[in-house]
């Protein structure tokens, strides 16, 4: 059996990870992940350009599918090769993919380009475990929190930016703007990131096969993945139904206002670095529990406070809860196997996005059958599942490290 080689005292450990580099990594991660969501608010504009084509509806799906497949196939490469080279090359591929999207002459080719955009945008998830490796253990939570703050900023603000640029300048222009931004991120990462030697001597095929072994032998990874999948499902349920909720007679608001909620939700990003610092001081278990309870509390607010202020407060609390738990769960998994952080992230993020897909699909079905009250109950039940997982972990007496 092929074995990993572990050396947590690798060259990048001697590299000083200051606030400036941490911020640049956070910004680069946000720039990368934003490209997954630019097309969503522009879909109506794209459909008008390709009138008569049924393929335009597949554009967001293709982007998400590319991202999901790349999480599984390409994230393990971070354990096998120089992280800096991998990040720089992947950003360059992302820029090329965005150019292909900008010049796509047909909807079918735009779908193909969107698949490649999604696949290359996973460079954001290469940056997070690299930041965890560069950080000293006592500051790992705060570092992860800062970089994840960048990721979440990209997720939440991308729809607002995409909607504004698409409405005022055109959907192709959004991709033309995003391409040089990705190239710029590639250049910055090439300039500031340290080189590192691979953490493992195993081959790519063996690295993929080892995902099964890692899942089987790391109960903390399983708990964190299942818990975060439940919370991210709750998070996705809200964002999937928000535009439909705002169109109801009680609000009678359009998609532009739904996009602005991305800015409101960005306030919750402040939770990421705060949660990381608290996890460093008090341990991640406490923050995970608080995050799950906040997620549950947000749905109580969203279900009972049927006003715009209620939605605003609810989404801020929801984001605080989900992001706090996310950062703390990553604190847990990155402490397990230093030589396999990319593969740990592969399993964790794949599980989280599967949860998000389930939350979106379930929320749509519940909305059609029971309306907003049903969605609120659905989101709350998902949070309860997360809390139940945490309590089960505590009852067995197995604490996260």
């Amino acid at each position: 059996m092929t074995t990993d080689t572990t050396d947590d005292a690798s060259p990048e450990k001697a590299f000083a990870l200051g606030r400036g580099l941490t911020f640049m990594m956070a910004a680069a991660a946000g720039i990368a992940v934003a490209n997954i969501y630019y097309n969503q608010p522009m879909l109506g504009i794209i459909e008008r350009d390709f009138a008569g084509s049924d393929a335009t509806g597949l554009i967001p799906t293709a982007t998400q599918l590319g991202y999901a497949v790349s999480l599984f196939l390409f994230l393990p490469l971070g354990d096998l090769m120089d992280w800096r080279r991998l990040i720089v090359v992947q950003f360059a591929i992302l820029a090329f993919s965005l150019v292909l999207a900008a010049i796509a002459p047909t909807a079918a080719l735009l779908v193909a380009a969107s698949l490649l955009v999604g696949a290359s945008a996973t460079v954001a998830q290469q940056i997070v475990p690299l930041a965890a490796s560069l950080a000293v253990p006592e500051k790992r939570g705060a570092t992860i929190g800062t970089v994840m703050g960048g990721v979440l900023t990209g997720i939440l603000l991308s729809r607002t930016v995409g909607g504004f640029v698409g409405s005022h300048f055109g959907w192709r222009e959004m991709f033309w703007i995003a391409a040089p931004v990705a190239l710029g991120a590639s250049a910055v990462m090439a300039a500031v990131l340290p080189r590192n030697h691979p953490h493992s001597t195993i081959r790519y095929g063996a690295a993929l096969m080892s995902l099964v072994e890692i899942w089987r032998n790391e109960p903390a990874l399983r708990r964190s993945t299942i818990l975060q999948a439940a919370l991210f499902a709750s998070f996705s349920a809200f964002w999937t139904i928000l535009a439909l909720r705002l169109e109801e007679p009680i609000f009678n608001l359009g998609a532009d206002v739904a996009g602005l909620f991305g800015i409101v939700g960005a306030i919750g990003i402040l939770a990421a670095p705060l949660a990381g610092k608290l996890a460093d001081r008090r341990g991640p278990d406490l923050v995970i529990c608080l995050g799950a309870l906040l997620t549950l509390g947000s749905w109580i607010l969203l279900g009972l406070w049927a006003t715009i202020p209620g939605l605003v407060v609810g989404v801020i609390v929801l984001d605080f809860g989900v992001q706090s738990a996310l950062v703390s769960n990553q604190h847990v998994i990155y402490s397990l196997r230093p030589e396999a952080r990319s593969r740990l992230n592969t399993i964790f993020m794949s599980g989280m996005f599967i949860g998000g897909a389930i939350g979106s699909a379930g929320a749509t079905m519940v909305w059609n059958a029971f309306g907003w009250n049903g969605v609120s109950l659905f989101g709350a039940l998902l949070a309860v599942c997360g809390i139940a997982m945490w309590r089960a972990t505590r009852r067995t007496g197995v604490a996260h490290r």
Side-chain angles (χ1 to χ4, degrees), residues 166-255:
S167 298
H168 291 83
F169 303 101
W171 66 268
R172 293 184 188 274
E173 283 69 19
M174 182 66 251
F175 291 123
W176 280 121
I177 291 170
V181 172
L183 276 181
S186 178
V188 170
M189 291 296 97
V192 302
L193 290 181
R195 288 187 177 276
N196 76 293
H197 296 293
H199 296 275
S200 175
T201 59
I202 65 174
R203 295 181 180 274
Y204 176 69
L208 290 181
M209 294 298 295
S210 72
L211 295 174
V212 177
E213 179 270 326
I214 292 172
W215 174 262
R216 182 184 300 125
N217 293 325
E218 295 291 351
L221 172 64
R222 294 197 300 271
R223 290 191 296 271
S224 290
T225 302
I226 294 171
L227 186 155
Q228 196 62 44
L231 296 184
F232 195 63
S234 182
F235 177 86
S236 298
F238 173 82
W239 289 103
T240 299
I241 302 301
L242 174 61
L244 299 175
R245 171 63 167 166
L246 290 174
E247 289 176 354
E248 289 192 304
I250 189 175
F251 299 118
N252 196 29
L253 297 171

Side-chain angles (χ1 to χ4, degrees), residues 253-297:
L253 297 171
D256 53 343
V257 177
L260 291 175
F261 266 82
I263 299 174
V264 174
I267 298 173
I269 292 167
L270 296 173
L274 293 175
K277 291 178 181 178
L278 183 58
D280 286 333
R281 291 197 297 264
R282 300 289 300 274
D285 273 341
L286 172 64
V287 186
I288 290 169
C289 179
L290 291 174
L293 289 172
L294 283 172
T295 304
L296 174 59

Side-chain angles (χ1 to χ4, degrees), residues 37 61 64-65 68 228-237 240 349-365 378 382:
Y37 302 101
T61 302
Q64 295 283 355
L65 179 62
Q228 196 62 44
L231 296 184
F232 195 63
S234 182
F235 177 86
S236 298
T240 299
M349 296 305 299
S350 296
M352 192 180 92
F353 275 90
I354 288 171
I358 292 172
S360 295
T364 300
M365 290 188 291
F378 177 66
L382 289 169

Side-chain angles (χ1 to χ4, degrees), residues 119-145:
S120 50
T122 55
V123 63
Q125 296 304 330
Q126 300 288 3
I127 294 172
V128 178
L130 173 58
S133 293
L134 293 173
V136 293
E138 59 269 23
K139 293 185 178 180
R140 183 169 294 144
T143 301
I144 294 171

Side-chain angles (χ1 to χ4, degrees), residues 349-389:
M349 296 305 299
S350 296
M352 192 180 92
F353 275 90
I354 288 171
I358 292 172
S360 295
T364 300
M365 290 188 291
V366 171
W367 168 263
N368 291 331
F370 304 105
W372 181 251
N373 288 336
V375 173
S376 298
L377 180 60
F378 177 66
L381 287 175
L382 289 169
V384 168
C385 289
I387 295 170
M389 176 60 66

